[in-house]
């Protein structure tokens, strides 16, 4: 189980490097030895120009990809020598991911989509888990729409289902890569408000990539990537 103490270190990067096309003529290093720590209560945004390495970094932290060198600690555990099963279990239990495109399963209802991560890790959900999924959908403003399929919901509503799905495992860390890039201003503000609410009420660290300065300006901490290096890491006063 994930430890939910507020002072807990959730992520630590030590000299993290990432190259693509290793061993080929096109080999290129895109992250050049990053050091970074995220704690349980952090509400941080990762900003930087297109191509600076934001998605690469999020994918590494989310265990969707592996670093070329350096170490990534998640929940205090070194991840380098973990086997696939251990990585998958840690990812499923500790991390929620929201992407620009929600990747909801069209054949499933909203509540079934929210329950997906629980079903993948544990089979048939318990009645408590189904109740929790309904509560999350209520929190994201979708009460009454639980049985709708994704194509019967607006884009903003679909993204809110994706947010509920990302939170169903009560992750210690929420990673979001342009989660509002596809939404109108009001839906974007609502999704952002949900991140803030879960960070405060439920103590999940947030690392948000967004090009929307109206949102990034509201974060407590701004980490700026320039050409694969952390140029600055500042906390709001
Ligand atoms: N699979 C890949 N193979 C080779 N190069 C890649 C791959 N993925 C990303 N890159 C390169 O790595 C660099 C960083 O890409 P990344 O997607 O992390 O940038 P980003 O900051 O997320 O940009 P954006 O704001 O446009 O999403 C870019 O130069 C990109 O071309
Ligand atoms: Mg990106």
């Amino acid at each position: 189980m994930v430890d939910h103490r507020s002072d807990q270190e959730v992520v630590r990067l030590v000299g993290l490097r990432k190259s693509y096309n290793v061993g080929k003529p096109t080999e290129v290093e895109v992250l050049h030895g990053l050091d970074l720590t995220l704690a349980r209560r952090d509400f941080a945004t990762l900003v930087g120009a297109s191509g600076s390495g934001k998605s690469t970094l999020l994918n590494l932290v989310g265990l969707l990809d592996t670093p070329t060198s350096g170490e990534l600690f998640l929940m205090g555990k070194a991840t380098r020598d973990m086997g696939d099963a251990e990585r998958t279990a840690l990812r499923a239990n500790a991390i929620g991911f929201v992407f620009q495109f929600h990747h909801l399963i069209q054949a499933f209802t909203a509540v079934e989509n929210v329950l997906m991560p629980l079903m993948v890790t544990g089979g048939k959900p318990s009645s408590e888990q189904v109740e929790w999924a309904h509560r999350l959908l209520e929190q994201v403003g979708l009460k009454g729409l639980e049985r709708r399929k994704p194509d019967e919901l607006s884009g903003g509503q679909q993204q809110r289902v994706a947010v509920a799905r990302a939170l169903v495992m009560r992750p210690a860390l929420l990673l979001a890569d342009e989660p509002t890039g596809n939404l109108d201003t009001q839906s974007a503000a609502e999704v952002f408000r949900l991140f803030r609410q879960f960070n405060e009420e439920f103590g999940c660290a947030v690392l948000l990539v967004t090009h929307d300065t109206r949102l990034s300006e509201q974060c407590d901490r701004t980490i700026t990537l320039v050409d694969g290096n952390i140029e600055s890491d500042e906390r709001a006063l």
Side-chain angles (χ1 to χ4, degrees), residues 19-21 26 28-31 47-59 65 177-178 209 211 225:
S19 298
Y20 287 114
N21 303 327
T26 50
V28 57
E29 187 177 89
V30 300
L31 296 177
V47 300
S50 179
S52 58
K54 303 180 299 294
S55 294
T56 300
L57 179 55
L58 245 66
N59 290 340
D65 198 359
D177 196 351
E178 293 284 354
V209 172
H211 283 109
L225 270 185

Side-chain angles (χ1 to χ4, degrees), residues 149-171:
K149 301 267 175 69
D151 65 2
E152 298 163 342
L153 296 167
S154 73
Q157 290 169 337
Q158 291 176 33
Q159 194 62 324
R160 281 185 270 161
V161 175
V163 171
R165 180 184 56 184
L167 295 166
V168 76
M169 299 293 286
R170 298 181 169 84

Side-chain angles (χ1 to χ4, degrees), residues 7-217:
D7 57 344
Q8 189 193 7
E9 181 184 284
V10 176
V11 176
R12 183 151 55 98
L13 314 181
V14 184
L16 199 80
R17 291 178 184 271
K18 177 65 184 178
S19 298
Y20 287 114
N21 303 327
V22 173
K24 296 184 189 148
T26 50
E27 176 167 340
V28 57
E29 187 177 89
V30 300
L31 296 177
H32 309 296
L34 306 186
D35 299 313
L36 180 72
T37 304
L38 285 180
R40 183 77 206 191
R41 287 277 165 193
D42 276 338
F43 192 87
T45 184
L46 178 64
V47 300
S50 179
S52 58
K54 303 180 299 294
S55 294
T56 300
L57 179 55
L58 245 66
N59 290 340
L60 292 175
V61 173
L63 299 179
L64 299 173
D65 198 359
T66 49
T68 312
S69 66
E71 186 55 283
L72 162 67
F73 296 90
L74 268 181
M75 320 309 299
K77 291 181 187 146
T79 59
R80 184 165 39 203
D81 298 324
M82 280 184 181
D84 278 350
E86 202 180 350
R87 285 170 70 84
T88 304
L90 181 58
R91 182 171 56 229
N93 286 305
I95 302 169
F97 226 125
V98 185
F99 301 94
Q100 179 171 1
F101 301 98
H102 51 68
H103 307 293
L104 296 179
I105 298 172
Q106 295 299 332
F108 286 2
T109 64
V111 70
E112 287 166 348
N113 268 285
V114 173
L115 284 165
M116 266 308 289
L118 282 163
M119 286 153 79
V120 166
T121 52
K124 195 176 169 352
S126 66
S127 56
E128 287 81 18
Q129 290 172 326
V130 173
E131 206 173 294
W132 169 232
H134 277 91
R135 233 174 67 213
L136 278 171
L137 282 172
E138 185 176 348
Q139 294 229 28
V140 302
L142 295 178
K143 192 172 168 58
L145 304 182
E146 297 90 347
R147 309 232 163 270
R148 296 249 187 120
K149 301 267 175 69
D151 65 2
E152 298 163 342
L153 296 167
S154 73
Q157 290 169 337
Q158 291 176 33
Q159 194 62 324
R160 281 185 270 161
V161 175
V163 171
R165 180 184 56 184
L167 295 166
V168 76
M169 299 293 286
R170 298 181 169 84
L173 173 65
L174 180 69
L175 299 171
D177 196 351
E178 293 284 354
T180 63
N182 214 16
L183 301 180
D184 61 81
T185 310
Q186 194 194 332
S187 300
E190 280 169 16
V191 165
F192 183 84
R193 189 183 51 73
L194 291 170
F195 291 172
R196 178 59 94 178
Q197 182 189 334
F198 276 89
N199 171 255
E200 285 173 358
E201 283 178 17
F202 165 88
C204 118
V206 173
L207 183 58
L208 166 70
V209 172
T210 179
H211 283 109
D212 186 342
T213 49
R214 282 168 304 190
L215 301 182
S216 57
E217 279 167 0

